Amino acid sequence: MSAEFLGHVLAPEPLGPCRVVVEGDRIAAIEPMPDAPEGTWIVPGLVDIQVNGAFGVDLAAPTELEAVRARVAATGVTTFLATLVSAPPAAYAAPLAALVPAAAPGLATLAGIHLEGPWLSPSHPGAHDLAALRPPSAAELAAFLAPGTVRVVTLAPELTGATAAIERLVAAGVRVEAFA
């Protein structure tokens, strides 16, 4: 399937008015097009690594995931991570099973899950529920990694067990962000 777009291309440097031809999932050509419409821009898709919810839908209970993916795409976001915040252990099973990476034409790609907690410091909880914060455990880590959907974990590196958790996460290909 091919498509073409007319507008001013924003690359590392603006390319001016162009015709962009897309074949399948690849850009096949970018050609100068002096009569491309003014005020129309063609830009790279945006990637959002922290979407807790959108348009009234909490991604911890993703009942309308396809609608979220469609509406997020309309904002220019082509790829996102669903973010789950600190919660009691039992609260993670359903969203870990439901938030499966997926791509489809016209929808933003769900690239996986960003766990923001529950392994955050009670000394610096931010907006997180103090009752939901805890140090990492091997069993909980295994449960988080089992579905293969976790891509990013934010944790407090000073917590007991954090070093072992970081090593295991990195070995599994998960990006680790420190929050101290």
Side-chain angles (χ1 to χ4, degrees), residues 129-180:
D129 179 4
L130 276 170
L133 303 183
R134 55 194 173 273
S137 72
E140 189 168 47
L141 180 58
F144 287 161
L145 291 175
T149 57
V150 174
R151 302 290 181 256
V152 176
V153 172
T154 302
L155 58 75
E158 71 274 15
L159 294 176
T160 300
T163 300
I166 291 168
E167 289 170 354
R168 189 159 175 201
L169 289 163
V170 169
V174 175
R175 179 182 172 151
V176 178
E177 297 179 347
F179 185 84

Side-chain angles (χ1 to χ4, degrees), residues 62-158:
T63 57
E64 301 172 47
L65 185 56
E66 297 305 302
V68 168
R69 291 176 58 212
R71 292 191 65 192
V72 166
T75 70
V77 172
T78 59
T79 304
F80 71 100
L81 292 176
T83 301
L84 304 177
V85 297
S86 301
Y92 289 98
L96 283 171
L99 295 168
V100 176
L107 299 178
T109 296
L110 173 59
I113 296 172
H114 169 194
L115 292 175
E116 184 182 18
W119 306 325
L120 301 176
S121 172
S123 301
H124 306 285
H128 293 259
D129 179 4
L130 276 170
L133 303 183
R134 55 194 173 273
S137 72
E140 189 168 47
L141 180 58
F144 287 161
L145 291 175
T149 57
V150 174
R151 302 290 181 256
V152 176
V153 172
T154 302
L155 58 75
E158 71 274 15

Side-chain angles (χ1 to χ4, degrees), residues 1 20 24 26 41-43 50 57 62-63 74 79 87 117 128 136 138 151 166 172:
M1 180 161 107
V20 178
R26 304 273 187 234
W41 288 90
I42 301 170
V43 300
Q50 184 162 347
V57 177
T63 57
T79 304
H128 293 259
R151 302 290 181 256
I166 291 168

